[in-house]
């Protein structure tokens, strides 16, 4: 591409939410790196709020970072690396001025499922593969952002996503119970054989269990009754103090390496790339789905507008950054972002302050982390994943849409029964099948005129509706494509056969038909010929211009005849009545 070429894209003003045009020079730099725009417009009055919010946020980031690294099957320090670096990266390139990025309770189990089987018990190999996975996720997200593919998050419907995340929560809770209660199970027992968990209950360590259950109770209770408190920090610090003061015999984090993460460039094999690709796709899709929802939510509350493709690219850059610094895939956080907001955060300087404090902990304070009990981290993880079980949504789906409820339950069971990674493919497949099913068997209706109601209406819902003698008005509530074209044809034939008296004209009320593919066009041509042999004309009313253009390319528009395409159903009826001399009195014409 020539260096002189420019592309005009919308630039969101981070303080007003208004759009301007992006061009070259400094303005282009601020659009690509929104952190520059924030720095230029930064107000001194924001500084105190951002610093306080950064301090409060750090109190949550440290224990969660350690816990999510353990959940991902990685050394605890990797969680701090994967927290620190994305905060700085997103502060530069992120379009949202309040979103907090970092390790995520939904993604960490997928990381573990992808990395642990390949690396075995070697922690260095696990870290290397997790970094490679983050790079792959980042590359996918960045490419999607550049190609403006933000819409791809719609591949997973909300019911399926609700069930999938609920399944992850079930697996994580079962996997963390042994750590919470202080007993061991052999690798895979918790996921593959529930009896392994039950047998382990005989070996519960009373001290460990008491500390873990107390931490979990405190965290869950405070989340419900005092959500503004830094309860995770309080629980973890309290548990650590008990272990240190009373020299309790429980499993602890142990020595955490000091110092900042060093840049590393993974050297993957083709086999590693292939084995990690499905996991990378799943993480990329879930990470951006969560980030997109959270970003839009906060942008709306702050009166701003965020370009979702730019958000996608920023998330990609942040994952690449953590992949190059011994981290693992990350996403936005629905638990840490509200903490930053409640503490008064105004801009991404909050994340920068938190990152600097994390750096200080890594340089001089890792000795304080060694005595953190593993059971306390298990409590942090369990409390976090309980948020993934959206009981209220499941109840609402059961009440208002049983089919969507069934999809959610099927997605949940697919994860629990088949595992996290196979569950990804099944969840996406269920979403696609749901779309196909709704398009494959859409609602169809025969229309009639109902007194005192404008337009023409379904005679099943309005039995009093009057049909024009000899005319069948047929509505098909979906685009026409390969999967439903035969359903459309069969529906027309059934309606003709069920009509009272001879049908002379079939007019398709075509407003819901937004597309006709080549397969459907062939079926339409066959239907036209079949009706013609029966002495029945075929017409369309309210068909959109782009669909007419497509029918012209298929040769169907000219074959059917322009005179059989009507702007409205009313004009189609009037044309038929006048042409055939049908005794028909419309109630509106009686006035």
């Amino acid at each position: 591409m020539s260096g002189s070429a420019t592309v005009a894209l919308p630039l969101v003003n981070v303080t007003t939410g208004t759009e301007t045009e992006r061009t070259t020079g400094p303005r282009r730099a601020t659009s690509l790196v929104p952190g520059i725009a924030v720095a230029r417009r930064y107000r001194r009055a924001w500084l105190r709020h951002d610093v306080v919010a950064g301090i409060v946020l750090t109190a949550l980031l440290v224990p969660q970072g350690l816990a999510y690294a353990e959940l991902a099957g990685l050394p605890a320090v990797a969680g701090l690396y994967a927290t620190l670096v994305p905060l700085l990266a997103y502060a530069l390139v992120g379009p949202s001025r309040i979103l907090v990025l970092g390790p995520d309770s939904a993604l960490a189990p997928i990381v573990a499922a992808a990395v642990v089987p390949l690396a075995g018990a070697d922690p260095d190999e696990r870290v290397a593969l997790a970094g490679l996975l983050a790079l792959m996720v980042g590359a996918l997200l960045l490419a999607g952002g550049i190609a403006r593919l933000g819409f791809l998050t719609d591949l997973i419907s909300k019911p399926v996503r609700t069930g999938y995340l609920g399944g992850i929560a079930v697996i994580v809770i079962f996997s963390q119970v042994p750590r919470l209660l202080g007993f061991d199970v052999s690798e895979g027992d918790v996921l593959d054989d529930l009896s392994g968990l039950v047998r382990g209950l005989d070996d519960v360590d009373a001290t460990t269990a008491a500390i873990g259950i107390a931490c979990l109770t405190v965290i869950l209770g405070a989340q419900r009754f005092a959500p503004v408190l830094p309860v995770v920090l309080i629980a973890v610090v309290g548990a650590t103090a008990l272990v240190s003061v009373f020299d309790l015999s429980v499993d602890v984090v142990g020595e955490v390496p000091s110092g900042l993460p060093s840049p590393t460039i993974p050297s993957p094999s083709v086999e590693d790339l292939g084995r990690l690709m499905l996991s990378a796709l799943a993480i990329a899709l879930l990470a951006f789905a969560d980030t997109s929802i959270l970003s839009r939510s906060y942008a709306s509350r702050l009166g701003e507008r965020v370009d979702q493709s730019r958000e996608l690219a920023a998330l990609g850059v942040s994952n690449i950054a953590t992949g190059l610094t011994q981290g693992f895939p990350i996403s936005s956080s629905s638990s840490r972002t509200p903490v930053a907001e409640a503490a008064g955060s105004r801009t991404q300087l909050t994340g920068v302050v938190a990152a600097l404090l994390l750096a200080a902990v890594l340089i001089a304070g890792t000795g304080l982390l060694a005595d953190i009990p593993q059971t306390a981290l298990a409590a942090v993880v369990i409390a976090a994943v309980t948020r993934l079980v959206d009981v209220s949504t499941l109840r609402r789906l059961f009440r208002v849409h049983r089919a969507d409820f069934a999809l959610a339950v099927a997605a949940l069971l697919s994860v629990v029964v088949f595992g996290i990674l196979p569950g990804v493919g099944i969840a996406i497949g269920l979403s696609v099948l749901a779309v196909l099913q709704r398009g494959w068997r859409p609602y169809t209706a025969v229309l009639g005129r109902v007194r005192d109601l404008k337009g023409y209406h379904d005679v099943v819902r309005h039995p009093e509706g009057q049909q024009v003698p000899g005319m069948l008005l047929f509505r098909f509530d979906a685009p026409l494509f390969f999967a439903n074209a035969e359903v459309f044809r069969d529906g027309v034939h059934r309606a003709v056969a069920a009509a009272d008296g001879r049908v002379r004209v079939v007019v398709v009320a075509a407003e819901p038909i937004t597309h006709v593919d080549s397969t459907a066009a062939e079926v339409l041509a066959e239907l036209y010929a079949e009706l013609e042999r029966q002495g029945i004309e075929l017409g369309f009313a309210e068909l959109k211009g782009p669909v007419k253009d497509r029918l012209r390319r298929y040769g169907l528009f000219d074959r059917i005849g322009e005179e059989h395409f009507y702007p409205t159903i009313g004009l189609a009826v009037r044309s038929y009545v006048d042409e055939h001399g049908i005794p028909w009195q419309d109630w509106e014409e009686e006035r």
Side-chain angles (χ1 to χ4, degrees):
M1 180 180 291
S2 170
S4 62
T6 62
V7 179
L9 292 172
L11 167 62
V12 178
N13 186 307
V14 294
T15 59
T16 67
T18 59
E19 290 187 354
T20 59
E21 289 298 309
R22 187 181 78 183
T23 56
T24 58
R27 291 174 66 192
R28 181 171 184 177
T30 58
S31 70
L32 293 175
V33 187
I36 297 176
V38 174
R40 287 180 173 177
R41 297 177 176 87
Y42 198 83
R43 300 175 187 175
R44 182 175 297 179
W46 295 345
L47 182 60
R48 180 177 62 85
H49 296 284
D50 282 338
V51 171
V52 170
I55 295 171
V56 172
L57 184 61
T58 307
L60 180 63
L61 295 179
V62 173
Q64 281 196 344
L66 297 172
Y68 293 167
E70 298 274 357
L71 181 58
L74 302 171
V77 72
L80 301 183
Y81 296 161
T83 302
L84 186 158
V85 175
L87 288 174
L88 295 176
Y90 191 82
L92 286 175
V93 300
S96 170
R97 62 188 176 108
I98 194 171
L99 210 63
V100 177
L101 264 60
D104 182 73
S105 58
L107 301 188
I110 307 178
V111 175
V115 168
V116 172
L118 298 180
D122 185 347
D124 293 335
E125 183 66 14
R126 290 187 181 187
V127 170
L129 288 174
L132 173 60
L133 187 60
L135 288 176
M136 295 171 68
V137 170
L140 289 169
L141 292 168
L142 181 58
I146 293 172
R148 306 194 67 79
L149 299 180
F151 65 89
L152 288 179
T153 56
D154 297 332
L155 278 177
I156 299 184
S157 65
K158 183 175 181 180
V160 170
R161 182 172 170 272
T162 299
Y164 178 75
L165 293 178
I168 288 179
V170 170
I171 287 180
V172 169
I173 289 171
F174 279 136
S175 70
Q176 294 299 302
V177 165
R179 293 178 64 209
L180 184 79
L181 302 181
F183 65 88
D184 294 323
V185 293
S186 60
E187 190 72 27
D189 266 357
V190 174
L191 302 182
D192 300 333
D193 183 6
L194 188 58
S195 64
L197 177 60
V198 175
R199 288 193 302 270
L201 294 176
D202 294 333
D203 301 321
V204 168
D205 180 78
T207 303
T208 301
I211 294 173
I213 292 172
C215 286
L216 183 59
T217 302
V218 168
I219 294 172
L220 292 177
Q223 284 178 351
R224 181 175 178 85
F225 300 108
V228 296
L229 292 176
V231 63
V232 172
L233 180 68
I234 293 170
V236 172
V237 169
T240 305
L242 283 174
V243 170
S244 299
V245 171
F246 295 101
D247 194 24
L248 300 178
S249 178
V250 298
D251 290 337
V252 295
V253 169
E255 183 180 355
V256 176
S258 62
L260 300 177
S262 57
T264 58
I265 301 178
S267 53
S269 65
V270 175
E271 290 79 7
D272 288 340
L273 291 173
R275 291 167 180 167
L276 293 176
M277 182 52 69
L278 176 60
S279 302
L281 286 168
I283 291 171
L285 193 59
L286 288 174
F288 182 59
D290 285 343
T291 301
S292 176
I293 292 169
L294 200 61
S295 174
R296 285 198 301 262
S297 172
Y298 278 95
S300 175
R301 289 165 62 174
L302 296 171
E304 299 176 353
R305 295 174 60 191
V306 174
D307 184 328
Q308 290 304 307
S309 291
R310 192 165 292 172
E311 190 75 81
L312 181 60
L315 184 60
V317 170
S318 301
N319 269 280
I320 290 172
T322 193
L324 293 172
T325 50
Q326 304 176 61
F328 54 92
I330 53 91
S331 178
S332 62
S333 172
S334 58
S335 61
R336 284 157 286 187
T337 303
V339 168
E341 181 193 34
S345 174
R346 296 293 189 270
T347 70
Q348 286 294 334
L349 183 61
T350 295
V352 174
V353 171
L356 293 176
L357 291 174
L358 279 175
V361 170
L362 283 167
I363 293 171
T366 55
L368 300 174
L369 309 177
D371 288 333
I372 294 178
Q374 292 281 3
T375 185
L377 296 184
V380 171
V381 169
I382 292 173
V385 299
T386 56
R387 297 172 179 266
L388 301 180
V389 184
D390 194 345
V391 177
S392 62
T393 294
L394 291 172
R395 278 202 302 257
R396 182 177 60 82
L397 290 175
F398 182 79
R399 187 174 65 253
V400 304
H401 202 299
R402 295 291 175 86
D404 278 353
F405 174 78
L407 279 175
V409 172
L412 188 153
L413 293 176
S414 71
V415 175
V416 173
V417 174
F418 299 108
I420 291 175
L421 293 183
V424 173
I426 295 172
I428 295 175
L430 288 172
S431 290
V432 173
L433 283 175
V435 173
L436 287 176
Q437 192 274 336
R438 287 162 189 164
W440 179 36
R441 296 287 181 182
Y443 189 78
T444 62
V446 173
L447 307 182
R449 195 74 159 110
V450 181
R451 178 171 288 275
D452 298 327
L453 283 180
K454 293 284 187 180
Y456 289 77
H457 303 274
D458 181 3
V459 296
V460 172
R461 300 180 69 86
H462 297 275
E464 72 278 16
Q466 294 183 329
Q467 298 182 55
V468 183
M471 185 179 202
L472 178 69
L473 298 174
F474 181 80
R475 194 183 73 211
F476 189 79
D477 291 347
L480 276 172
F481 64 109
F482 65 92
N484 66 16
E486 292 292 344
V487 175
F488 172 81
R489 178 167 66 178
D490 293 343
V492 172
H493 283 309
R494 281 196 301 271
V496 169
D500 293 332
R502 180 191 169 211
V503 174
R504 296 179 177 179
V505 174
V506 172
V507 172
V508 179
E511 185 180 15
I513 300 177
T514 56
H515 177 74
V516 177
D517 72 5
S518 60
T519 302
E522 292 180 5
V523 173
L524 276 179
E526 293 169 3
L527 175 64
Y528 174 79
E530 291 162 358
L531 293 176
E532 189 176 42
R533 286 194 292 271
Q534 299 176 49
I536 301 173
E537 297 177 358
L538 177 64
F540 293 84
E542 301 179 355
L543 190 66
K544 293 175 172 58
V547 185
K548 288 182 185 178
D549 294 340
R550 191 167 291 277
L551 292 184
R552 281 192 178 93
R553 289 196 292 273
Y554 295 143
L556 271 174
F557 188 86
D558 293 333
R559 182 176 177 184
I560 294 172
E562 184 174 1
E563 69 276 11
H564 293 122
F565 289 85
Y566 306 96
T568 66
I569 297 175
L571 288 175
V573 170
R574 178 49 50 199
S575 174
Y576 167 74
V577 168
D578 291 345
E579 180 181 350
H580 295 278
I582 304 298
W584 170 260
Q585 183 68 41
D586 191 288
W587 65 264
E588 288 189 290
E589 296 174 354
E590 296 174 359
R591 298 179 177 181

